[in-house]
Every structure is written in C-alpha cells, then in structure tokens.
Amino acid sequence: MKYWPFKVFLLSFIVSAIFSGLSSFCGDMNVIILLIILIIVIFIGIIFDMIGVATLTSKESSFHAMSSKKINGAKESISLLRNSNIVSSICNDVVGDICGIVSGSLGASLTTYLVITFHTNILWITILITSLISALTVGGKALGKQLAMKKSDKIVFGVGKIKHLLHLK
C-alpha cells in the first residue's frame, strides 16, 4: 500500500495520455463522430463511477456461496470487494476524472468546430456545450450511483465475470 500513490500517479498518467492522444485526433473529425466519441467518454465515466460505488456498497458474503459452487466470476467478485478501496479509487478517481477532463477537451473541439462552421458567437456555443457536458456527466453519475447502490451485487458480479473471462487477477 505504501506505493499506492505512485501507482495511481503512473496509471493516471498512462490512461490520460491514451485518452488525450485519442481526443487530439478528434479536432479534424466529422461532427457526428466527435459527438459519438464525446457521449462514449461520458458513458465510460458513468459506468466506472457505478462500478466504484457498487464495490463500496456490495457485501462479500453474497459471493461466498457462489464461490463454493465454483460459479465463474464469484472469486473475482470477492477479490474486487476485498480491494474495494483500490477498485473505487481507480474507477471513480482515475478513470472518472480522466473521462471528465477528456470530455472537456472534446467539448472544446466541438465548440471550435461549431464556431468555425456556423460563424457564430463563441460565448453562447461554449456555454451550451459546457452545460450539456456537465448535465450529462453529473446527471448520469447521480442516476448511476442510485442504480449502483440498489444493484451493487449484480454490478460487482458482472465485473467479476468479465475479470474471469479475461483471466485478470
């Protein structure tokens, strides 16, 4: 655990570099593709926020019976819950925050495209795009958190199954 802050820093740097690199190519893209990528990035942030919340609210005892029956994903789910502070930190802080930053960058690209294409006032377009991105992100995370708290076992088990399929420890 003493190297955890360094690992978070390194993981954040790598993930951010990947997302920023991908988003830098978006400036020359079709506006529809740019919007789709923006929505996907916001959706990824919401999904990972839900996973982080679910790992904090789910109970390990729910998965012990499944694990004893050798149900795929149960052991991985227990592992997620035993490391819930790390899983939550990665999902909520690392991935969630990076998605927020990248969505802002994509919003700036979209704003630039709209201002140049339609010769319109940058102030109003900036306010509109920023407000829409904020509303989708905050509203989506609020809904996602409610769902994650109600369906925490199902979400954790779903992630456990994915870990099992991908042979992740």
Side-chain angles (χ1 to χ4, degrees):
M1 274 304 241
K2 72 178 187 177
Y3 296 111
W4 176 238
F6 177 73
K7 288 179 181 179
V8 168
F9 171 82
L10 193 58
L11 180 64
S12 298
F13 183 83
I14 292 167
V15 172
S16 183
I18 291 168
F19 275 144
S20 295
L22 292 174
S23 70
S24 68
F25 293 111
C26 294
D28 299 328
M29 284 188 182
N30 177 314
V31 72
I32 301 299
I33 294 172
L34 185 58
L35 278 170
I36 291 169
I37 292 170
L38 177 59
I39 290 168
I40 289 170
V41 168
I42 291 170
F43 188 69
I44 289 170
I46 293 168
I47 294 296
F48 273 83
D49 195 62
M50 288 174 64
I51 293 168
V53 169
T55 59
L56 292 173
T57 57
S58 186
K59 301 291 180 233
E60 187 179 323
S61 58
S62 306
F63 299 99
H64 285 292
M66 287 191 271
S67 181
S68 67
K69 294 177 185 173
K70 308 260 192 247
I71 295 175
N72 292 340
K75 284 183 183 178
E76 292 81 1
S77 297
I78 292 169
S79 172
L80 286 167
L81 296 176
R82 287 185 178 168
N83 296 292
S84 62
N85 60 333
I86 294 171
V87 174
S88 177
S89 181
I90 290 170
C91 291
N92 297 97
D93 300 331
V94 177
V95 177
D97 291 352
I98 290 170
C99 285
I101 292 165
V102 172
S103 67
S105 174
L106 292 169
S109 295
L110 182 60
T111 299
T112 302
Y113 174 86
L114 293 173
V115 167
I116 290 170
T117 302
F118 297 108
H119 307 291
T120 176
N121 186 325
I122 192 166
L123 175 66
W124 295 112
I125 296 295
T126 302
I127 291 170
L128 178 67
I129 298 298
T130 303
S131 299
L132 284 171
I133 291 171
S134 296
L136 288 171
T137 301
V138 174
K141 286 187 176 190
L143 287 171
K145 282 182 177 150
Q146 285 181 339
L147 183 63
M149 289 170 57
K150 289 180 183 172
K151 305 284 186 183
S152 60
D153 288 350
K154 287 184 179 186
I155 292 169
V156 169
F157 188 50
V159 175
K161 286 181 185 178
I162 291 169
K163 279 185 69 175
H164 178 78
L165 287 171
L166 298 175
H167 304 288
L168 299 173
K169 294 292 174 188

